[in-house]
Amino acid sequence: RVDPRRDKIELDGKRIVHESPVYAILHKPRGVVTTLSDPEGRPALGDLVKSLGARVFPVGRLDYHTSGALLVTNDGDLAHRLAHPSHGVEKEYLAEVEGTVGGGALNRLRGGVELDDGVTAPAKVSQPEPGVLRITIHEGRNRQVRRMCEAVGHPVTRLVRVRIGPLRDAQLRPGEWRALDLAEVKALSEAAAG
């Protein structure tokens, strides 16, 4: 047994330091890449999470032009379970699209859409107002919601992720983050148990 507060642990001569688990939700702004740094010099997630005081990484990705809820953590096991489609953790988006989406397009989105990398899993889709779709998926393919909407003839003009599993925070402004409380971490863990 190892007590990280008392024992010194090394691997190949380098000390391994135990980090306490960190869990936070961030509102990723548009125009920020979901990496800790960017070789092209674009604004990156790492700039927004420096103040967490711990080395964290994003759970999944949001593309450069998408904003909204993004989890960051140093808990690799939970991150993997939340991001992997086999665990069925839902991600909910609000998509402003070109045109008013008719019933046929809505049914295609709900049933699965043929994309260049295969058919998507069925999605939960509603149209709360003309030109706005609420889309809930559990996969995480590259630019999936944008590609699904384009495939049914309604390109996305604005995309915001509003929920990850049971977690949402409409109070966060772009670029802001907050630590999760124990109940939220437990709820995320339970959502990723499936």
Side-chain angles (χ1 to χ4, degrees):
R1 293 190 178 264
V2 174
D3 181 350
R5 294 171 302 227
R6 184 182 45 139
D7 298 325
K8 181 178 173 185
I9 305 164
E10 292 183 353
L11 176 65
D12 295 333
K14 294 183 181 177
R15 185 159 187 206
I16 297 173
V17 179
H18 172 74
E19 292 181 323
S20 297
V22 174
Y23 308 92
I25 183 172
L26 164 84
H27 184 137
K28 184 194 97 60
R30 286 179 60 150
V32 172
V33 293
T34 310
T35 57
L36 298 179
S37 64
D38 183 53
E40 296 178 29
R42 296 173 295 183
L45 183 66
D47 302 326
L48 300 175
V49 297
K50 283 180 192 170
S51 60
L52 270 169
R55 192 176 58 184
V56 294
F57 51 88
V59 178
R61 296 191 180 275
L62 290 175
D63 71 45
Y64 186 74
H65 297 290
T66 300
S67 65
L70 184 68
L71 293 172
V72 293
T73 186
N74 58 2
D75 182 340
D77 179 56
L78 180 60
H80 171 75
R81 289 185 290 126
L82 287 168
H84 199 278
S86 67
H87 293 277
V89 178
E90 293 184 337
K91 287 91 177 173
E92 181 180 326
Y93 298 82
L94 283 178
E96 293 178 12
V97 298
E98 293 179 8
T100 300
V101 184
L106 290 172
N107 287 335
R108 284 182 61 202
L109 290 167
R110 290 176 183 135
V113 178
E114 179 72 44
L115 301 177
D116 59 356
D117 56 353
V119 178
T120 64
K124 296 177 185 172
V125 183
S126 64
Q127 187 169 205
E129 60 186 86
V132 177
L133 298 177
R134 182 177 300 277
I135 301 174
T136 304
I137 60 174
H138 68 271
E139 295 176 295
R141 298 185 201 187
N142 186 36
R143 302 182 74 246
Q144 181 174 343
V145 172
R146 289 181 185 279
R147 293 189 302 141
M148 288 170 65
C149 290
E150 188 156 329
V152 299
H154 295 280
V156 170
T157 57
R158 182 171 178 261
L159 185 61
V160 179
R161 181 159 60 192
V162 296
R163 180 173 63 87
I164 303 167
L167 189 62
R168 67 173 73 235
D169 191 326
Q171 304 305 311
L172 288 175
R173 303 176 89 158
E176 290 182 343
W177 63 266
R178 70 167 178 82
L180 300 185
D181 62 35
L182 290 175
E184 290 171 320
V185 173
K186 181 180 179 192
L188 282 171
S189 187
E190 288 171 356

